[in-house]
Amino acid sequence: MRCLSVAAALACSVALVAAADTDPWKLDDKLKIARPEDTKDAEGTKPPEGAVVLFDGKDFSKWVKRDGKSEVKLAIKDGALEGAKGHGDIITKDKFGGAFKLHVEFRVPYEPGGAGQGRGNSGVYLQGRYEVQVLDSYGLKSGKNDCAAIYNVAAPKTNECKAPTVWQSYDIDFTAPKFENGKKTEPARMTVHHNGVKVHENVEIPVDNTTAGLGGDPATPGPILLQDHGHPVQYRNIWLLPAK
């Protein structure tokens, strides 16, 4: 922001102070709340027996940065990891194939000055390749790039977003693509519950890598990836249960 006069400089100073004082984890009266339950956190779900706990709010021992080796240096606040602009994506050290359920709890900041993809943007990638979008899409008509969308593949059936700053949950049942003799015989599939409501049911994913995914050989296992899109999105209670 550049100030060209005394009056403009004063306005500029006020704007900068206001920006500095803005707390992305507090709502104001400008946001219209459609339903009282939209301001209540989604219920947390404890890892069931046999689940692989990927993040329990204590440390990043199961994670590295996208390059597969660098240490994660994000903040942990009250048991939640918080994204930081410029840090970069993080991935699990372990890779997962076959079929599994992934549980993720997240919340997006309140960024009323942003629009579209500029509000609370992040994403959860299965095998590092298939993204379920994380975004502040509260009160919007959901498209293929909104919260709970399988990015650019399928919009959620309904918009089940809670208000920004409120904890939400994904339960994603994922089946990896199948190959025979190097040829894909079945695509990857996903069923997604957003805040307990089914918004995708056994959706076929026709691509082998959604936007900004890790790519690589889709016939091989891959990690869970949390995307850095420059917003302080928070995550907690992440676990994965392999199918029997």
Side-chain angles (χ1 to χ4, degrees):
M1 187 181 291
R2 192 174 179 182
C3 304
L4 302 177
S5 68
V6 174
L10 181 59
C12 180
S13 177
V14 171
L16 289 174
V17 170
D21 289 343
T22 299
D23 184 345
W25 301 112
K26 288 185 179 179
L27 299 178
D28 57 33
D29 56 9
K30 295 178 183 178
L31 182 66
K32 295 181 180 180
I33 301 299
R35 305 171 301 178
E37 57 265 35
D38 293 345
T39 59
K40 296 179 181 178
D41 293 335
E43 266 190 61
T45 303
K46 293 182 179 180
E49 184 178 353
V52 179
V53 177
L54 299 176
F55 181 71
D56 61 3
K58 297 177 181 177
D59 57 46
F60 295 109
S61 59
K62 301 288 182 69
W63 299 81
V64 289
K65 294 181 75 171
R66 185 181 175 119
D67 63 10
K69 57 184 180 181
S70 298
E71 180 183 357
V72 175
K73 296 184 177 180
L74 295 173
I76 296 178
K77 301 180 179 180
D78 297 322
L81 69 87
E82 182 172 291
K85 186 176 182 180
H87 179 277
D89 304 338
I90 64 173
I91 62 173
T92 55
K93 293 177 181 178
D94 290 337
K95 297 180 179 181
F96 304 95
F100 56 81
K101 176 191 289 291
L102 179 69
H103 176 83
V104 178
E105 295 170 20
F106 67 94
R107 65 174 182 158
V108 297
Y110 182 45
E111 299 176 311
Q117 300 292 296
R119 298 195 312 182
N121 196 331
S122 181
V124 178
Y125 287 73
L126 292 295
Q127 293 195 320
R129 304 180 184 110
Y130 311 100
E131 181 185 12
V132 178
Q133 172 78 313
V134 170
L135 193 71
D136 176 9
S137 299
Y138 183 66
L140 304 179
K141 181 179 179 180
S142 296
K144 291 182 180 180
N145 60 359
D146 282 302
C147 196
I150 302 173
Y151 197 78
N152 277 346
V153 171
K157 293 179 180 179
T158 56
N159 184 338
E160 298 300 329
C161 290
K162 291 184 176 289
T165 78
V166 179
W167 282 104
Q168 307 189 53
S169 67
Y170 283 155
D171 286 286
I172 306 168
D173 292 292
F174 175 79
T175 302
K178 296 179 180 178
F179 290 79
E180 290 183 11
N181 301 318
K183 183 178 180 180
K184 184 164 66 175
T185 56
E186 292 186 34
R189 295 174 181 270
M190 257 190 232
T191 294
V192 180
H193 286 78
H194 184 196
N195 296 325
V197 178
K198 187 183 293 183
V199 295
H200 297 288
E201 184 169 10
N202 202 30
V203 173
E204 292 187 0
I205 305 174
V207 297
D208 291 327
N209 192 54
T210 58
T211 304
L214 291 174
D217 183 355
T220 62
I224 303 304
L225 181 151
L226 301 181
Q227 184 186 49
D228 168 25
H229 211 286
H231 301 263
V233 175
Q234 293 187 347
Y235 291 94
R236 70 181 186 187
N237 191 24
I238 305 173
W239 51 261
L240 183 150
L241 182 65
K244 294 182 179 180

